[in-house]
Amino acid sequence: MWLLIVHLVALFLFVLLYSFRFQKLVPNPNLNILEQIQVASKDWKSTPYLVLLISFALLLLLPLTLGFTFFLRTDANVVVVIVWIIWAYNWSKYTFWRE
């Protein structure tokens, strides 16, 4: 349970950090968040984009952390991994390849 709490705190910390501190430092802040993540993957060494990519990675790992917190000792952990693979694939597909 503590891993889920740490994960959620880190996710909210990075999201708030990007929203209030680093979003105004991005060259074109009028883009939607998926387009900003796509641009951030090309220039990941700058601090605002690095914070955005860490937030996105934490978002992708959220179902895995949530599922393993509650279903690690049961056979449902296989379902958790399958749901996480679908979650991460769809988010990545719509973010980076815009399909």
Side-chain angles (χ1 to χ4, degrees), residues 3-37:
L3 183 63
L4 179 64
I5 294 170
V6 169
H7 188 101
L8 288 174
V9 166
L11 177 64
F12 289 129
L13 176 74
F14 278 102
V15 167
L16 292 175
L17 186 67
Y18 179 76
S19 297
F20 293 116
R21 173 74 170 97
F22 289 120
Q23 191 170 14
K24 56 187 164 207
L25 299 176
V26 174
N28 194 0
N30 298 332
L31 297 174
N32 66 18
I33 194 70
L34 293 178
E35 291 173 351
Q36 287 180 6
I37 292 171

Side-chain angles (χ1 to χ4, degrees), residues 29-87:
N30 298 332
L31 297 174
N32 66 18
I33 194 70
L34 293 178
E35 291 173 351
Q36 287 180 6
I37 292 171
Q38 191 175 20
V39 170
S41 67
K42 295 180 180 92
D43 185 24
W44 60 272
K45 290 185 181 180
S46 71
T47 305
Y49 289 144
L50 188 62
V51 170
L52 181 63
L53 288 174
I54 290 172
S55 302
F56 184 66
L58 286 171
L59 177 73
L60 288 181
L61 290 173
L62 184 64
L64 197 63
T65 305
L66 181 68
F68 282 160
T69 299
F70 296 112
F71 298 115
L72 188 60
R73 296 187 180 158
T74 65
D75 290 337
N77 57 6
V78 175
V79 176
V80 167
V81 171
I82 291 170
V83 168
W84 173 72
I85 289 171
I86 293 168
W87 166 273

